[in-house]
Amino acid sequence: MTRNPNMREAILSAAELLFSTHGFNAVSIRDIALEAGANPGSITYHFKSKDGLLLEIYKRHCGPMNKRRIELLVAAKRVRDVQDRLEAIVRAYVQPAFSSSSDLAGGGARFTRLRAVMSAEGNAVVGRIIAEIFDDTTNAFIEAIEESLPHLPRTTIVWRSQFLLGALYYTLVSPERVTRLSRGEADGADMAEAIEQLVASTVASLQAADVDHINSGAGSPQAKPAQPSAKGVVAKRKENPAN
């Protein structure tokens, strides 16, 4: 390959592409050097190790993405209507992850795929990076949801937030599955539609009755939802998916 004058950036881009496609464990420093048109020694010079390279990839994406999420969260918390506020909080978390992979400040679809692949590998290095970079922001969202749904225990909100993260990852990693299973009636690559569907389903999930409440329903075969469902979220937000 032709050498790139901006070698550090070329190495970062090559590593992000390979990690998001093949995972961390399967990619070697030599693979990254070949993709970047670099000498393997350049990678150790700039990043010390493959672990250091992965950490730098997370840092350059997660700082701006977390910043954008918090900006949107601050605005969401000012929404007066409780239902609208909850939708805005969920949207504030979801939307930055769907930014174009060329939009570094937005986090990038490719980086979200990388995160999904890294999490699936269960790598200890990745676990430490995720805890350091994401826990503060995630706790801010959990606390905002707690304020909107004070009847739910924090543990329930944590579980449901975990499900949101899994859905977000899978939506970015396997959009073609939506297209296939819908027999072409839905386009899994339609990011605006994916945001609306994910927001609507997450709001409905968050508003469902707590498991303990269902289990102790005094013989009632079906507990009532704790809050109204997310009826009409998709239709309501369709005109302006960027809100």
Side-chain angles (χ1 to χ4, degrees), residues 114-135:
L114 182 150
R115 289 173 58 199
V117 173
M118 296 294 101
S119 296
E121 282 189 339
N123 188 291
V125 173
V126 177
R128 289 195 297 272
I129 291 171
I130 289 173
E132 177 184 342
I133 293 177
F134 284 107
D135 279 7

Side-chain angles (χ1 to χ4, degrees), residues 41-120:
S42 298
I43 296 176
T44 54
Y45 172 78
H46 287 291
F47 305 103
K48 308 300 183 188
S49 66
K50 194 170 73 164
D51 291 2
L53 179 51
L54 181 64
L55 175 60
E56 185 61 31
I57 290 171
Y58 268 81
K59 281 182 175 179
R60 74 170 187 159
H61 281 290
C62 297
M65 184 163 65
N66 283 340
K67 181 172 182 277
R68 181 58 178 155
R69 279 176 165 165
I70 293 299
E71 288 171 352
L72 292 173
L73 179 61
V74 169
K77 290 172 70 175
R78 291 198 293 262
V79 176
R80 288 173 132 348
D81 182 80
V82 176
Q83 176 75 15
D84 289 344
R85 187 191 315 141
L86 183 59
E87 292 172 18
I89 289 168
V90 174
R91 189 179 302 278
Y93 185 84
V94 168
Q95 186 177 310
F98 280 83
S99 300
S100 166
S101 61
S102 63
D103 180 6
L104 184 61
R110 187 172 71 182
F111 177 63
T112 301
R113 292 189 186 96
L114 182 150
R115 289 173 58 199
V117 173
M118 296 294 101
S119 296

Side-chain angles (χ1 to χ4, degrees), residues 1-219:
M1 288 183 132
T2 304
R3 289 188 178 276
N4 190 319
N6 191 348
M7 189 54 65
R8 189 175 190 278
E9 192 63 31
I11 292 168
L12 282 168
S13 181
E16 184 177 325
L17 173 63
L18 293 175
F19 290 156
S20 67
T21 305
H22 304 293
F24 182 75
N25 296 331
V27 175
S28 68
I29 285 181
R30 187 171 295 278
D31 294 330
I32 297 167
L34 181 62
E35 180 68 27
N39 186 296
S42 298
I43 296 176
T44 54
Y45 172 78
H46 287 291
F47 305 103
K48 308 300 183 188
S49 66
K50 194 170 73 164
D51 291 2
L53 179 51
L54 181 64
L55 175 60
E56 185 61 31
I57 290 171
Y58 268 81
K59 281 182 175 179
R60 74 170 187 159
H61 281 290
C62 297
M65 184 163 65
N66 283 340
K67 181 172 182 277
R68 181 58 178 155
R69 279 176 165 165
I70 293 299
E71 288 171 352
L72 292 173
L73 179 61
V74 169
K77 290 172 70 175
R78 291 198 293 262
V79 176
R80 288 173 132 348
D81 182 80
V82 176
Q83 176 75 15
D84 289 344
R85 187 191 315 141
L86 183 59
E87 292 172 18
I89 289 168
V90 174
R91 189 179 302 278
Y93 185 84
V94 168
Q95 186 177 310
F98 280 83
S99 300
S100 166
S101 61
S102 63
D103 180 6
L104 184 61
R110 187 172 71 182
F111 177 63
T112 301
R113 292 189 186 96
L114 182 150
R115 289 173 58 199
V117 173
M118 296 294 101
S119 296
E121 282 189 339
N123 188 291
V125 173
V126 177
R128 289 195 297 272
I129 291 171
I130 289 173
E132 177 184 342
I133 293 177
F134 284 107
D135 279 7
D136 287 347
T137 300
T138 301
N139 277 319
F141 275 89
I142 289 170
E143 288 161 10
I145 294 169
E146 279 186 290
E147 291 172 6
S148 296
L149 299 172
H151 59 283
L152 285 181
R154 182 182 177 87
T155 52
T156 296
I157 293 171
V158 169
W159 272 113
R160 294 174 185 180
S161 299
Q162 183 82 342
F163 301 152
L164 165 59
L165 188 60
L168 178 60
Y169 281 169
Y170 204 77
T171 300
L172 269 297
V173 171
S174 303
E176 69 283 351
R177 192 168 189 269
V178 172
T179 306
R180 185 179 72 253
L181 292 179
S182 68
R183 297 174 180 172
E185 292 185 19
D187 179 5
D190 184 341
M191 290 193 294
E193 178 68 13
I195 291 171
E196 299 312 315
Q197 294 288 356
L198 194 48
V199 170
S201 62
T202 301
V203 169
S205 168
L206 288 167
Q207 291 178 325
D210 184 37
V211 172
D212 288 341
H213 174 65
I214 293 172
N215 290 340
S216 60

